[in-house]
Amino acid sequence: MNERRSFFSSPAGGVMTREVGAITGELELHSTVDEDGALALRVRYAGADEWYAVEGGPYRLHDARDAEVLHEVLVAIINRPAA
């Protein structure tokens, strides 16, 4: 299983989660992908214990080797300043 974590500041409006709706502030993104390409995205407040599923999905990668670059792209998009 491929696993990545990154800290970022939420965009305006936050990141939408299944459990609690939008969360904002200093956050951590956790992505995992299994050998079949099933991708899981979770987010939490930086330093918190509880993780929340990012709204959307289910997600599946054509090639599980793409997980690392996808994680970096997601962080860049989520952390992008408003225009």
Side-chain angles (χ1 to χ4, degrees), residues 3-82:
E3 180 176 354
R4 302 269 307 180
R5 293 177 190 225
S6 295
F7 291 96
F8 66 97
S9 295
S10 72
V15 175
M16 187 61 67
T17 69
R18 290 182 186 149
E19 298 86 356
V20 296
I23 62 172
T24 61
E26 295 301 310
L27 305 175
E28 183 178 6
L29 177 67
H30 179 239
S31 64
T32 59
V33 64
D34 66 19
E35 56 280 344
D36 294 328
L39 175 67
L41 300 174
R42 301 183 309 157
V43 66
R44 70 177 174 183
Y45 294 103
D49 292 328
E50 189 167 359
W51 289 96
Y52 306 107
V54 174
E55 184 65 46
Y59 308 105
R60 182 164 301 281
L61 298 178
H62 175 71
D63 189 328
R65 295 174 296 180
D66 295 334
E68 184 172 340
V69 70
L70 177 63
H71 179 92
E72 296 303 321
V73 168
L74 288 170
V75 171
I77 289 171
I78 292 171
N79 200 28
R80 180 174 48 200

